[in-house]
């Protein structure tokens, strides 16, 4: 999962899922990944974009796992952030999904949809994470990012949110603004 999340930056989940089988078949352990030739890694992950940087990070993160964490992905934010290529969002995805620790991973969809729904007003992922953790019950921290991401992809698009199809339109403080724009366009 750690490697898949590193690959997923600026890349679709579908593309990552097409890439990982051959990658993991070739290098099935952190030890093997750490020893992999950089050029081979680049060739295997090329279609995911930013393949040079991602290859370096995957190799360096694997080496760090072997040298500092006994070949296992650590379970704390502080330790995860020590791994090359791992930022706060990646660490939260690992903590929430792999270790069921109830962390909130904030990406561009979460930032946008949380703001439109009035759940968080900050502009940086770290602050939005804090604000969401205050308004969302802790038992749902692991799921809330998935819900917001899904909603952002399916309905609350960045450029043209489909408020008329939205199940939370009656609760959303941004709906009126977008519906006004839509009706203005329709009239025009
Ligand atoms: S009502 Fe519109 S802006 Fe609000 S969450 Fe739904 S789609 Fe997004």
């Amino acid at each position: 999962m750690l490697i898949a999340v590193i690959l997923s930056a600026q890349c679709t989940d579908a593309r990552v899922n097409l890439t990982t089988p051959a990658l993991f078949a070739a290098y099935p352990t952190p030890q093997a990944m750490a020893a992999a030739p950089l050029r081979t890694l680049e060739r295997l992950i090329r279609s995911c974009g930013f393949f040079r940087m991602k290859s370096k990070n995957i190799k360096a993160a694997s080496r760090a796992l072997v040298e500092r964490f006994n070949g296992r992905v650590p379970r704390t934010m502080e330790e995860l952030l020590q791994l090359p290529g791992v930022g706060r969002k990646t660490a939260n995805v690992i903590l929430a999904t792999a270790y069921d620790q109830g962390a909130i991973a904030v990406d561009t969809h979460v930032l946008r949809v949380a703001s439109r729904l009035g759940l968080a007003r900050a502009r940086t992922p770290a602050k939005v994470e804090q604000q969401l953790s205050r308004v969302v019950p802790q038992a749902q921290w692991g799921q809330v990012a998935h819900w917001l991401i899904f909603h952002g992809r399916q309905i609350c698009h960045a450029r043209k949110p489909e408020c008329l199809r939205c199940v939370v339109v009656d609760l959303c403080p941004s709906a009126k603004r977008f519906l006004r724009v839509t009706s203005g366009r329709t009239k025009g």
Side-chain angles (χ1 to χ4, degrees):
M1 173 171 276
L2 172 66
I3 303 300
V5 179
I6 291 175
L7 284 174
S8 72
Q10 307 289 318
C11 180
T12 64
D13 292 349
R15 172 57 56 191
V16 171
N17 289 337
L18 284 175
T19 304
T20 47
L23 178 65
F24 295 156
Y27 305 111
T29 63
Q31 289 80 358
M33 198 73 86
L38 208 47
R39 295 270 173 229
T40 312
L41 277 183
E42 287 176 0
R43 183 171 50 74
L44 283 166
I45 70 161
R46 192 180 185 96
S47 64
C48 285
F50 300 99
F51 62 94
R52 289 204 176 87
M53 182 192 65
K54 288 178 184 176
S55 298
K56 273 190 202 142
N57 284 336
I58 287 170
K59 194 171 159 68
S62 301
R63 190 180 306 136
L65 289 183
V66 173
E67 291 176 356
R68 308 214 302 262
F69 298 102
N70 206 20
R72 301 191 66 82
V73 176
R75 289 170 173 262
T76 67
M77 171 65 74
E78 193 188 0
E79 290 172 314
L80 282 165
L81 290 177
Q82 293 172 27
L83 299 173
V86 175
R88 201 168 173 89
K89 188 193 94 181
T90 298
N92 274 326
V93 171
I94 302 292
L95 292 174
T97 313
Y99 292 139
D100 201 18
Q101 285 195 27
I104 302 176
V106 177
D107 74 351
T108 176
H109 296 294
V110 175
L111 267 178
R112 178 181 75 256
V113 180
S115 162
R116 286 177 178 172
L117 282 168
L119 296 173
R121 294 287 182 203
R123 290 181 181 272
T124 64
K127 286 198 177 138
V128 166
E129 183 188 325
Q130 275 178 9
Q131 293 179 343
L132 283 174
S133 69
R134 279 187 225 121
V135 296
V136 176
Q138 192 163 2
Q140 290 166 340
W141 284 2
Q143 294 150 297
V144 67
H146 292 298
W147 295 336
L148 293 173
I149 289 168
F150 188 77
H151 194 56
R153 283 182 175 159
Q154 302 296 319
I155 302 287
C156 193
H157 312 292
R159 291 182 62 188
K160 287 188 192 168
E162 298 185 63
C163 303
L164 290 173
R165 289 180 55 218
C166 180
V167 292
V168 289
V169 65
D170 292 338
L171 302 171
C172 178
S174 308
K176 271 192 192 147
R177 174 165 53 102
F178 288 116
L179 287 170
R180 237 189 342 255
V181 171
T182 309
S183 87
R185 269 200 217 110
T186 311
K187 281 178 198 154

